[in-house]
């Protein structure tokens, strides 16, 4: 079992399989980065899988594939199947912008993927174009329908921003509710790569806007999920991710692996250790030691809130959110 120095059990690994993306979301990657990680520096799926096996043997029981946009990486279904065949009980999920889901959902499901989280920030084509930098909405919504049809469980993430999509929180919630999909509103997390003019809707502002339409009760947190949950009168539950709150990191159970093999103990900070050399050499002991060291050095909390609050220099498209 992996336990950090604050007694948190780390059993959740988020794996970014590429930093590349077909969107240019304002809050994440408004400009193409100066250079991408060269393809030869990426770990192959065989190499990534070797590390997945080590992590599972050390106690990881939840793996989320993310990016950049994970569906840009060829043969993703084969990678998913490798993990599934190794340990079918691992909770295998993926976070995607859904643009390429229409043609791939069935293969992903057949490979062993159980759940996906999809980013839907708006239901208006022109707003989607303004956020993502191109006309994406039709493909995204068709991708979601396809995923549901093949039996993947779908959750929706929305990042509400003032003067952009904040006036759509009720519409997006209703879209999810009608389809029995849960929604999590994610507070915009400041980072050096996002567009400068973004102003995220804070959780208290969001809740008071929702209260104009609904009655709901605070249900608090559920296990180690970072979501703060609220239940509406008809039973529908929505989540709120508040990284600026003091207790956000209290139950954090996750670490992150980038596509080139950097293992990151916290989404906020730059610190990372590479598993690349050990994995390329097939040195299981050395890779497992890097994993344990990253867990040991996991910081107590991020610095989005509080007195020493700063703008994170980590790119979301690199860590996978
Ligand atoms: N491309 C996929 C997608 O968009 O779902 C996966 C990667 S993306 C980095 C993962 C999640 O991070 C998405 O739900 C996205 O909305 C969220 N995200 C990216 N930048 C963010 C920011 N600055 N603040 C809050 N959430 C952010
Ligand atoms: Fe791409 Fe996801 Fe970042 Fe948008 S949030 S630019 S879809 S990685």
């Amino acid at each position: 079992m992996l336990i950090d120095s604050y007694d948190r059990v780390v059993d959740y690994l988020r794996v970014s399989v590429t930093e590349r993306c077909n969107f240019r979301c304002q809050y994440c990657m408004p400009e193409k980065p100066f250079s991408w990680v060269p393809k030869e520096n990426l770990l192959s799926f065989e190499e990534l899988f070797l590390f997945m096996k080590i992590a599972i043997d050390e106690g990881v029981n939840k793996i989320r594939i993310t990016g950049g946009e994970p569906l840009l990486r060829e043969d993703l279904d084969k990678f998913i199947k490798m993990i599934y065949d190794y340990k079918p009980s691992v909770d295998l999920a993926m976070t995607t912008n859904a643009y390429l889901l229409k043609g791939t959902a069935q293969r992903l499901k057949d490979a062993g993927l159980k759940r996906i989280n999809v980013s839907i920030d708006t239901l208006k084509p022109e707003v989607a174009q303004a956020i993502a930098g191109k006309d994406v909405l039709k493909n995204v919504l068709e991708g979601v329908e396809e995923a549901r049809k093949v039996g993947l469980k779908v959750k929706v993430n929305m990042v509400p921003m003032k003067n952009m999509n904040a006036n759509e929180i009720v519409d997006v919630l209703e879209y999810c509710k009608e389809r029995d999909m849960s929604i999590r509103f994610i507070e915009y997390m400041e980072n050096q790569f996002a567009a400068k003019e973004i102003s995220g809707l804070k959780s208290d502002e969001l809740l008071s806007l929702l209260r104009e339409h609904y009655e709901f009760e605070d249900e608090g947190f559920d296990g180690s999920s970072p979501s703060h949950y609220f239940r509406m009168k008809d039973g529908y539950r929505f989540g709120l991710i508040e990284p600026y709150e003091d207790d956000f990191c209290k139950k954090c159970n996750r670490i992150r692996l980038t596509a080139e093999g950097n293992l990151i103990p916290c989404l906020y900070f730059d610190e990372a250790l590479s598993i690349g050399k050990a994995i390329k050499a097939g040195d299981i002991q050395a890779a497992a030691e890097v994993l344990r060291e990253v867990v040991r050095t996991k910081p107590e909390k991020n610095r989005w809130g509080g007195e020493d609050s700063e703008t994170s220099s980590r790119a979301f498209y690199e860590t996978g959110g």
Side-chain angles (χ1 to χ4, degrees):
M1 200 188 275
L2 296 162
I3 302 178
D4 77 0
S5 32
Y6 301 93
D7 275 340
R8 294 173 297 197
V9 175
V10 174
D11 57 7
Y12 178 12
L13 176 64
R14 296 177 66 103
V15 186
S16 169
V17 291
T18 177
E19 60 171 358
R20 294 172 193 236
C21 192
N22 43 0
F23 287 16
R24 292 289 173 268
C25 297
Q26 293 298 304
Y27 45 72
C28 178
M29 194 201 297
E31 308 281 340
K32 179 186 171 298
F34 181 67
S35 62
W36 299 114
V37 173
K39 284 218 165 108
E40 59 272 21
N41 289 13
L42 297 182
L43 292 184
S44 67
F45 279 146
E46 284 70 26
E47 290 163 342
L48 281 173
F49 176 55
L50 181 58
F51 186 70
M52 298 303 106
K53 288 196 284 186
I54 296 169
I56 291 169
D57 293 347
E58 291 284 324
V60 164
N61 58 30
K62 177 173 176 180
I63 295 178
R64 177 173 295 278
I65 293 160
T66 175
E69 176 44 44
L71 293 178
L72 287 182
R73 188 126 177 208
E74 237 173 274
D75 291 337
L76 187 66
D77 55 320
K78 293 190 183 137
F79 177 54
I80 289 170
K81 184 152 172 41
M82 288 181 204
I83 304 172
Y84 179 78
D85 286 346
Y86 185 67
K87 195 163 182 189
S89 62
V90 167
D91 183 9
L92 250 178
M94 177 175 72
T95 301
T96 171
N97 62 29
Y99 190 83
L100 297 171
L101 208 46
K102 201 172 166 194
T104 50
Q106 185 70 61
R107 262 186 290 140
L108 296 166
K109 173 79 168 59
D110 293 345
L113 189 71
K114 298 182 172 73
R115 306 182 292 110
I116 56 171
N117 284 18
V118 172
S119 306
I120 301 182
D121 294 318
T122 174
L123 294 169
K124 296 181 183 163
E126 67 284 6
V127 180
Q129 163 120 32
I131 294 175
K134 69 177 187 188
D135 185 13
V136 296
L137 190 64
K138 183 172 177 285
N139 276 25
V140 168
L141 298 183
E142 286 178 1
V144 169
E145 290 315 319
E146 183 76 12
R148 282 159 40 78
K149 203 169 87 190
V150 306
L152 284 167
K153 201 165 173 225
V154 183
K155 274 190 194 170
V156 168
N157 292 337
M158 174 181 187
V159 179
M161 296 165 278
K162 291 174 189 168
N163 304 324
M164 186 70 96
N165 61 344
N167 58 356
E168 285 188 74
I169 52 176
V170 170
D171 293 344
V172 180
L173 185 145
E174 285 296 326
Y175 164 87
C176 294
K177 197 159 167 268
E178 277 162 21
R179 291 164 179 75
D180 203 21
M181 305 188 295
S182 61
I183 182 167
R184 297 182 320 165
F185 298 103
I186 309 179
E187 273 187 323
Y188 164 63
M189 295 171 236
E190 285 173 20
N191 67 92
Q192 287 176 10
F193 299 86
K196 300 287 169 274
E197 54 282 3
I198 291 182
S199 168
L201 196 68
K202 291 286 173 219
S203 56
D204 53 345
E205 299 171 312
L206 181 129
L207 288 173
S208 56
L209 284 174
L210 289 177
R211 276 205 185 87
E212 290 173 16
H213 297 265
Y214 308 107
E215 280 182 46
F216 47 84
E217 280 180 11
D218 187 338
E219 287 205 325
F221 291 84
D222 195 351
S224 46
S225 163
S227 248
H228 186 168
Y229 287 105
F230 297 85
R231 194 173 294 276
M232 298 182 2
K233 278 210 149 164
D234 59 7
Y236 182 74
R237 193 164 89 140
F238 67 89
L240 187 51
I241 300 208
E242 305 165 289
Y244 292 81
E245 289 301 311
D246 227 19
D247 57 359
F248 179 71
C249 305
K250 253 187 197 150
K251 291 190 180 159
C252 184
N253 62 342
R254 59 201 65 194
I255 51 174
R256 294 167 167 84
L257 182 68
T258 70
E260 53 178 338
N262 290 321
L263 203 52
I264 301 170
C266 174
L267 176 64
Y268 179 94
F269 293 98
D270 267 348
E271 279 72 11
L273 288 179
S274 176
I275 55 146
K277 206 169 146 208
I279 286 295
K280 281 183 192 295
D283 189 341
I284 292 171
Q285 292 307 327
E289 193 39 52
V290 175
L291 170 60
R292 291 185 209 115
E293 179 62 15
V294 163
V295 170
R296 264 196 297 275
T297 58
K298 192 169 160 56
E300 187 179 12
K301 53 185 180 177
N302 71 48
R303 277 204 205 134
W304 270 297
E307 280 170 9
D308 49 0
S309 151
E310 286 168 24
T311 300
S312 173
S313 51
R314 265 270 174 234
F316 274 72
Y317 57 83
E318 188 197 8
T319 56

